[in-house]
Amino acid sequence: MSATLASTPAADGYRMPAEFEEHAGCWMAWPERPDNWRLGAKPAREAYAVVAEAISASEPVTMAVSDEQFEDCRSVLPGAIRVVEIATDDAWMRDVGPSFVTDGRGGRRGVDWRFNAWGGLQGGLYFPWDRDERVAQKVLEIEGAARYRAPLVLEGGAIHVDGQGTVMSTEQCLLNRNRNPELSREEIEQVLFDYLGAEKMIWLDQGVVNDETDGHIDNLACFAAPGVVLLSVPEDESDPQHAISRDAQDRLEQATDARGRSIEVITLPSPGPLTITEQEAEGVDAVQGTQPRRAGDRLAASYVNFYIANRSIVFPLLDARYDQRAAEILRACFPGREPIGVPAREILLGGGNIHCITQQVPGAAG
Ligand code: KQY
């Protein structure tokens, strides 16, 4: 049995490593719900399978799946991908899985955040979410990693760390009244520092336009290396995303990280704007209380929503006008890692992208 600890990672000498540090593996969860994924989630499953296969060329992948879908999932995925039965409410391992922390001496533990489906009864995306709430604990049981239960509603996609003491997030998400209304900005920062082993916060304002997560950082910006941040910026200055991204760039360029470094900002073009088609909207089962999928609604598309695997960058192909440029920028930012583009519109239609559906397990030596 994996223990639940009463202390904090920082007090025990643990920190969350950056995603670009060595991984021992990656977790994902199989998409199923027909009120979020069109055509009974079949096209989404194909996209998830391609992502899993691309990552598994670099590191072991585990797919969590319900009993109902176990045989289908097992038959679709290559044998090298481990498939385990875990009940979920949807398929966003970044947000419902644990954030792993390490002590640099072979110890690996996990932080289990409180989860309320991106806003609970004030704008959350579905009800109930109790199966999602238990996913992190189950993953930690299977990994044999001790668990810290953090006193904070937080999804993994709401934070990025540089592994050297810096945390980055958006005010739109973390200070939203639908997450932790009883906590001040300073109290939220302190919980993050205690549970991520960090000491410096960089706050951006808003995330990507129409992002149903209330502006997750993992769709807008990420650390490519210590002191280097990749940021999604549309070319079109009249796009409302342009001002949001430029504000983020200003804040980053005025900030210093936990080690006192200035931040170099590298921009990635934004795809689109992309919108939901009639046919795509019709394929989703409309259910009251679940996020509607309406034709014409803008999708929160971004190339920043990629996964850093040990030997590759698995990134979303979203817009033929920009896919190649995104690949070139990623290649230049991550020497030694091959950019692998995966057709990702079906994942985007569910409200997120490749980073949102994956969760790295850091190497224990980190
Ligand atoms: O941005 C993410 N980390 C997850 C997106 C979840 C969307 C749920 N429909």
Side-chain angles (χ1 to χ4, degrees):
M1 198 190 101
S2 102
T4 296
L5 305 165
S7 53
T8 67
D12 296 341
Y14 281 73
R15 58 145 197 146
M16 182 177 176
E19 195 173 320
F20 48 74
E21 296 180 53
E22 184 75 10
H23 299 175
C26 174
W27 276 80
M28 298 176 64
W30 199 234
E32 297 184 30
R33 54 186 305 156
D35 57 355
N36 191 48
W37 303 102
R38 74 192 187 105
L39 308 178
K42 286 192 182 63
R45 285 180 202 143
E46 283 171 25
Y48 271 59
V50 178
V51 170
E53 218 175 323
I55 296 172
S56 76
S58 271
E59 59 201 53
V61 174
T62 304
M63 186 69 75
V65 63
S66 69
D67 178 46
E68 293 72 31
Q69 276 296 315
F70 180 84
E71 286 185 355
D72 180 52
C73 175
R74 182 62 287 172
S75 69
V76 168
L77 295 180
I81 296 176
R82 176 170 68 159
V83 180
V84 300
E85 187 188 326
I86 294 184
T88 60
D89 293 297
D90 202 359
W92 306 97
M93 193 52 90
R94 177 65 50 189
D95 291 348
V96 302
S99 300
F100 285 94
V101 289
T102 57
D103 67 355
R105 291 179 287 121
R108 182 171 51 224
R109 297 175 175 172
V111 180
D112 179 359
W113 310 97
R114 291 171 58 203
F115 179 77
N116 75 354
W118 306 273
L121 301 179
Q122 282 80 48
L125 302 180
Y126 46 74
F127 175 88
W129 54 80
D130 55 305
R131 289 185 293 202
D132 278 348
E133 172 66 298
R134 289 187 287 273
V135 170
Q137 187 169 13
K138 293 177 182 177
V139 168
L140 293 171
E141 285 281 349
I142 292 172
E143 291 289 339
R147 166 183 181 248
Y148 294 100
R149 179 62 165 160
L152 190 73
V153 174
L154 180 129
E155 310 90 40
I159 47 159
H160 264 308
V161 298
D162 68 355
Q164 298 187 358
T166 316
V167 189
M168 179 166 64
S169 188
T170 65
E171 295 172 351
Q172 182 193 357
C173 181
L174 272 198
L175 304 186
N176 200 303
R177 304 293 299 164
N178 64 14
R179 301 301 208 280
N180 298 284
E182 71 290 357
L183 299 181
S184 67
R185 170 196 293 257
E186 292 71 28
E187 287 167 331
I188 289 171
E189 285 183 1
Q190 193 55 55
V191 179
L192 291 173
F193 296 163
D194 291 344
Y195 283 83
L196 297 171
E199 60 265 8
K200 176 83 193 258
M201 189 80 199
I202 298 179
W203 287 104
L204 305 186
D205 178 11
Q206 295 176 57
V208 170
V209 168
N210 232 17
D211 189 329
E212 63 196 34
T213 64
D214 299 311
H216 270 189
I217 190 75
D218 74 343
N219 210 20
L220 176 72
C222 70
F223 288 104
V228 182
V229 168
L230 270 161
L231 174 69
S232 181
V233 184
E235 283 185 334
D236 179 2
E237 295 189 7
S238 66
D239 184 328
Q241 183 62 46
H242 194 270
I244 294 171
S245 294
R246 286 296 177 211
D247 175 76
Q249 183 165 4
D250 288 346
R251 288 178 183 229
L252 286 163
E253 286 173 348
Q254 284 161 28
T256 50
D257 67 13
R259 302 259 174 117
R261 285 176 291 240
S262 316
I263 310 281
E264 180 193 356
V265 178
I266 298 173
T267 61
L268 268 171
S270 304
L274 306 178
T275 54
I276 306 179
T277 67
E278 291 280 355
Q279 199 191 14
E280 288 167 342
E282 277 166 14
V284 180
D285 293 358
V287 169
Q288 193 153 16
T290 302
Q291 180 75 0
R293 302 286 174 216
R294 290 176 299 241
D297 279 359
R298 180 166 176 167
L299 292 158
S302 163
Y303 290 112
V304 167
N305 209 313
F306 56 78
Y307 181 75
I308 308 175
N310 283 338
R311 292 195 296 276
S312 63
I313 302 295
V314 183
F315 77 98
L317 296 175
L318 293 166
D319 182 340
R321 293 173 300 164
Y322 298 111
D323 290 344
Q324 191 52 40
R325 187 129 46 98
E328 283 159 16
I329 295 168
L330 293 172
R331 186 187 303 283
C333 282
F334 294 98
R337 287 181 163 105
E338 182 63 22
I340 302 178
V342 170
R345 185 169 172 100
E346 296 296 337
I347 308 173
L348 177 62
L349 288 168
N353 226 302
I354 293 172
H355 194 258
C356 312
I357 67 171
T358 50
Q359 182 66 252
Q360 72 276 5
V361 182

